[in-house]
Amino acid sequence: MSGPPTGGDRASGVSVLGVRHHGPGSARAVRRELERLRPDAILIEGPPEADALVTLAPGLEPPVALLAHVPGEPSRAAFWPFATFSPEWQAILYGTSAGIPVRFCDLPAAHSLAGHPGGPDEPEPAQVDPIGSLAAAAGYDDPERWWEDVVEHRGGDTPFEVIAEAMAAVREGHEPGGREAMREAYMRKTLRAAVKQGFGRIAVICGAWHVPALTGPMPSAAADNAVLRGLPKVKAELTWVPWTYGRLASWSGYGAGITSPGWYHHLFDAPDRPVERWLAQAAGVLRDEGLAVSSAHVIESVRLAHGLAVLRGRPLAGLGEVTEAARAVLCEGDDLAVELIQRRMVVGDRLGHVSDGTPMVPLQRDLREQQRRLKLKPEALDREIDLDLRKPLDLDRSHLLHRLALLGVGWGTPGQARGKGTFRETWTLRWRPEHDLALIEHAALGTTVAGAAAQRAADLAAEPSAALADLTSLVERCLLADLPEALPDVLAALSAKAALDTDVTRLMAALPAMVRAHRYGDVRGTSVEGLAVIVRSMLERICVGLPVAVTGLDDEAAADLLKHVDAVHSAVALLSDTTPDGASGGASDGASDGASEGAGPRGRWLGTLRGISDRQDLHGLIEGRLTRILLDSGELDDAGDRMSRAMSRGQAPARAAAWVEGFLAGGGLLLVHDPRLLALVDGWLSGLPGDQFTDVLPLLRRTFGGFAAPERRAIGERLRSAGRDEGEGEQDVDERRAAAAVATVLSIIGKASG
């Protein structure tokens, strides 16, 4: 077939309109050209499997994207995003409103997702940058600015013929290969099919780079079929999903991305006086943040933006000019205020919306219903919410967010709850387009979020590679998500794994999550039958295995074990100190009592630590920490004697420093309130020879550097007071050496020395 023209004559048959995929000027020009041409059919660059989805477009709210994915393979997915200012989107809206057939003409997603050479699994061969080449030829060092000046700021008067000629010149000697050659062969194949079907006037909207491939002399149909022959194919499913302006700079499908979607949206929506309207909106954004911005500021910033455009020879002030004007006048040089405008306006927080008629898996529909019921609207920007779990609505919100997390849908990120108690949760919500893909991929797990999350938990528990810590964490997650139907399988897997695990450090790492899970069950009113028995069993095995685990440790192993000891000690404090049959065990008074049969969790644990603390083969870090834990728990009355022995001359300085580090870990208030312990540490440090003090200095710095500043200051005051008491107020001054300084001071203040 002969080469079709690019725009122009309505009776010419085929018109190829080369565009930038996201450009307000191109979008406006395409709409005007289509209204003038009144074509019988419209072909748009995109996956042809989406033809059936075109009729849904009028009911969607951009930005949206076509999502193509291979069921069961989440890594094989691609998005084709559209904004209001995308030329393709305007062509779709024109075609659907005028009753004109709209079809996609790019390489099918079934091929592009199959991993053929040049596909998603292999990098695209290096290509010439057409926009960059044309910008350089025009004397521009910024391709984006050249395109804006030539196309986007022309008020919709896009010179399609000139762009086609320029692209033909750029492509000379740079014919594409690999996937690009396949895409263009399929575009020509689709165009031939449309002509054969009898469409007299056909409009093709594609990236400007592809225009020469669809105009002028073209390869034969046989040649294009040869290029497409034997392509691998997979089963691909497509649907519409919401997109965000924040993600419009990321793409797959066709190469198109912009860094200022909010600015482009403004140019498309406000063709009349866009600079004035933009800076007025920027002033409103700053006022909302409490900044004083007057109408005079806006007027002066508009004048400055236009002046910069004239000086630079631009047809209209662009983003660079309005940003500089806003920085100088509205923001008065404040970079934080400029960043606020950048985030709110230049990029924007717009999140698209798809209609209820859009193809969705049941899991997506269930989530949409729950979002409505719980009044949790998906948004593109971070939104922080505080939940009070005593309120039914907030509790249901918490359950939903935890269930989604189990499914890999990270809509909410948990934070540190404000205030005390276990009835508070803080979440930061931010919806991302990938969340829809995750929901689709987990659709086989169930038709509801709760059912799918429960099945996901059961599947994770059944994995042979699941570690003990993973299973304990999974129990906790099931309780937070209120999935009682999943707990029996998870607890059974946990019990079996714990019974076979002989590594005490793994048991210690797993216990805190189990204790938290037990506590959450009480707080949230969730039945955790069998969990208490597993917790007691794990603690008992830890108490039996810990005395063996503390022997023969180097510095690194001792520090690692100490973290587990502290974690288990904190966890045990959360357990009610009762025996499995309900009798109270109470706190132990000593090693024998703590280890006695029938003792509660706290008594059993402290008894174990007391028995270990008297051994002579402990690492200094472990011995010091155990002494502190037992002292704080009221289990020791000889802590001073133990410290005195640890710092005696018979002990190596490095071991004594490690003992001090373990003993003082977590805070130095003890030294402030116990003069004897402070004197022991001070005396030991003062008595170290210079070389030994240098050796232990790194450990001491790490220990005392971890104290809060008020604690360090209080310790210093205590030591200074002790020094004055010992010296009875006398000052150790060398009067001969001080005489010169005294004479200088007297001279400065105008008095002669006597």
Side-chain angles (χ1 to χ4, degrees):
M1 64 182 283
S2 61
T6 57
D9 187 4
R10 175 187 168 191
S12 59
V14 178
S15 299
V16 182
L17 309 182
V19 300
R20 185 186 188 189
H21 288 296
H22 303 300
S26 296
R28 196 173 293 114
V30 163
R31 186 70 182 239
R32 290 179 181 177
E33 188 70 2
L34 291 175
E35 290 171 350
R36 188 185 69 84
L37 291 171
R38 297 201 301 274
D40 301 325
I42 300 175
L43 303 182
I44 297 175
E45 184 179 330
E49 295 98 331
D51 287 351
L53 301 174
V54 169
T55 56
L56 298 173
L60 309 183
E61 181 182 332
V64 292
L66 283 171
L67 163 62
H69 67 100
V70 179
E73 298 185 54
S75 62
R76 292 185 182 270
F79 297 91
W80 284 261
F82 299 90
T84 299
F85 51 81
S86 301
E88 298 88 348
W89 184 256
Q90 289 302 314
I92 290 173
L93 294 184
Y94 171 80
T96 53
S97 64
I100 299 171
V102 178
R103 300 175 182 174
F104 291 101
C105 61
D106 204 348
L107 191 69
H111 296 312
S112 61
L113 297 179
H116 56 72
D121 295 337
E122 297 186 20
E124 190 72 25
Q127 289 185 3
V128 64
D129 176 11
I131 304 299
S133 300
L134 293 174
Y140 282 71
D141 58 1
D142 185 350
E144 294 290 318
R145 174 162 292 191
W146 174 82
W147 184 266
E148 285 189 357
D149 285 353
V150 175
V151 178
E152 305 304 343
H153 291 169
R154 291 174 60 93
D157 182 23
T158 298
F160 291 113
E161 294 84 355
V162 176
I163 292 175
E165 293 174 5
M167 289 298 172
V170 173
R171 282 177 64 123
E172 289 183 3
H174 297 287
E175 284 303 314
R179 182 169 178 264
E180 282 298 296
M182 298 173 193
R183 293 179 63 197
E184 292 180 350
Y186 199 90
M187 290 180 190
R188 290 189 291 266
K189 180 179 179 179
T190 306
L191 181 55
R192 292 189 189 98
V195 172
K196 188 176 180 180
Q197 290 172 9
F199 292 110
R201 297 186 305 277
I202 302 173
V204 181
I205 293 86
C206 63
W209 170 255
H210 301 298
V211 171
L214 304 177
T215 60
M218 295 193 300
S220 64
D224 284 341
N225 289 336
V227 172
L228 299 171
R229 187 175 296 119
L231 291 182
K233 188 175 182 180
V234 294
K235 180 183 178 182
E237 295 182 0
L238 279 83
T239 188
W240 291 107
V241 295
W243 202 250
T244 66
Y245 274 179
R247 288 295 313 277
L248 205 56
S250 304
W251 64 87
S252 62
Y254 50 66
I258 55 173
T259 58
S260 51
W263 167 250
Y264 273 15
H265 183 100
H266 174 77
L267 288 180
F268 185 79
D269 268 4
D272 175 46
R273 304 175 69 86
V275 174
E276 290 83 352
R277 296 177 187 276
W278 175 268
L279 290 170
Q281 291 175 20
V285 168
L286 297 178
R287 290 191 193 106
D288 290 343
E289 294 298 320
L291 300 178
V293 182
S294 67
S295 299
H297 283 94
V298 177
I299 294 171
E300 187 58 33
S301 62
V302 169
R303 185 178 297 136
L304 177 57
H306 286 312
L308 290 172
V310 172
L311 287 173
R312 295 167 180 174
R314 305 200 65 186
L316 177 72
L319 181 59
E321 286 73 33
V322 297
T323 300
E324 291 176 40
R327 181 190 303 276
V329 182
L330 300 182
C331 304
E332 298 181 344
D334 186 349
D335 287 338
L336 289 178
V338 177
E339 173 61 27
L340 178 64
I341 295 175
Q342 167 74 21
R343 186 173 66 254
R344 293 275 185 85
M345 295 181 61
V346 177
V347 176
D349 58 356
R350 190 177 296 266
L351 173 67
H353 180 76
V354 297
S355 62
D356 290 339
T358 304
M360 295 182 188
V361 297
L363 200 55
Q364 289 175 292
R365 293 196 179 280
D366 180 65
L367 175 58
R368 174 171 289 205
E369 289 300 320
Q370 293 201 53
Q371 288 170 337
R372 291 171 179 165
R373 181 177 64 86
L374 300 177
K375 299 179 176 62
L376 287 177
K377 182 181 179 181
E379 296 173 316
L381 285 183
D382 289 347
R383 173 194 171 199
E384 188 172 290
I385 61 172
D386 292 313
L387 302 180
D388 184 343
L389 303 182
R390 293 168 295 185
K391 300 178 180 178
L393 178 63
D394 282 0
L395 183 59
D396 287 346
R397 288 172 170 177
S398 173
H399 290 159
L400 175 63
L401 294 172
H402 282 293
R403 290 167 184 173
L404 290 173
L406 260 173
L407 292 172
V409 180
W411 180 22
T413 302
Q416 184 65 40
R418 297 186 180 94
K420 298 181 179 180
T422 57
F423 292 101
R424 296 282 180 180
E425 279 186 354
T426 297
W427 293 82
T428 300
L429 305 184
R430 186 174 191 175
W431 187 263
R432 301 179 187 275
E434 296 87 346
H435 298 336
D436 276 296
L437 178 59
L439 290 169
I440 292 171
E441 290 306 317
H442 288 105
L445 295 177
T447 59
T448 65
V449 174
Q455 186 58 51
R456 177 62 177 161
D459 291 346
L460 289 173
E463 291 182 0
S465 60
L468 183 61
D470 297 334
L471 292 173
T472 55
S473 175
L474 188 57
V475 171
E476 186 176 13
R477 296 175 72 184
C478 287
L479 289 170
L480 293 172
D482 189 27
L483 300 174
E485 65 272 26
L487 274 176
D489 290 338
V490 178
L491 288 175
L494 172 64
S495 180
K497 181 73 69 173
L500 298 175
D501 202 319
T502 58
D503 190 328
V504 69
T505 57
R506 286 203 291 263
L507 290 169
M508 295 176 76
L511 184 69
M514 293 294 294
V515 173
R516 287 195 303 270
H518 191 278
R519 188 184 188 198
Y520 288 138
D522 292 338
V523 170
R524 294 169 177 253
T526 305
S527 174
V528 198
E529 185 178 354
L531 187 56
V533 175
I534 298 176
V535 168
R536 296 297 184 95
S537 174
M538 290 175 64
L539 180 60
E540 182 63 30
R541 295 177 61 203
I542 289 170
C543 291
V544 171
L546 187 59
V548 178
V550 297
T551 61
L553 301 179
D554 58 15
D555 293 344
E556 183 177 355
D560 185 62
L561 182 63
L562 199 58
K563 295 177 183 177
H564 293 306
V565 170
D566 284 339
V568 171
H569 183 66
S570 298
V572 168
L574 299 177
L575 292 174
S576 59
D577 204 14
T578 57
T579 58
D581 59 3
S584 175
S588 65
D589 296 326
S592 58
D593 291 337
S596 63
E597 183 178 356
R602 182 176 180 275
R604 180 70 174 97
W605 169 247
L606 292 177
T608 299
L609 298 186
R610 180 64 185 266
I612 296 173
S613 68
D614 294 327
R615 287 169 38 176
Q616 303 299 314
D617 59 343
L618 295 179
H619 189 282
L621 190 67
I622 299 294
E623 183 181 347
R625 186 60 187 150
L626 295 185
T627 301
R628 176 63 180 274
I629 289 175
L630 293 169
L631 175 65
D632 291 345
S633 301
E635 297 290 320
L636 286 181
D637 54 10
D638 61 345
D641 296 337
R642 290 172 181 258
M643 176 179 280
S644 180
R645 289 195 299 270
M647 295 178 176
S648 65
R649 294 185 178 275
Q651 299 287 353
R655 188 185 189 284
W659 197 98
V660 171
E661 181 181 6
F663 184 78
L664 297 179
L669 283 178
L670 187 65
L671 296 182
V672 177
H673 298 297
D674 194 323
R676 183 191 176 194
L677 295 181
L678 179 60
L680 286 171
V681 176
D682 183 41
W684 171 70
L685 283 174
S686 303
L688 287 176
D691 57 339
Q692 293 182 355
F693 180 82
T694 302
D695 290 339
V696 301
L697 186 58
L699 285 177
L700 297 174
R701 279 179 173 169
R702 184 170 63 193
T703 301
F704 288 91
F707 296 167
E711 293 179 354
R712 295 197 299 269
R713 185 163 50 249
I715 291 172
E717 292 291 341
R718 287 280 185 179
L719 291 173
R720 184 162 50 192
S721 299
R724 283 198 298 267
D725 292 342
E726 292 176 2
E728 297 179 356
E730 297 180 0
Q731 295 182 342
D732 185 11
V733 179
D734 187 332
E735 295 184 359
R736 181 182 62 80
R737 296 178 62 188
V742 171
T744 301
V745 171
L746 291 174
S747 175
I748 291 173
I749 64 177
K751 293 184 178 181
S753 58

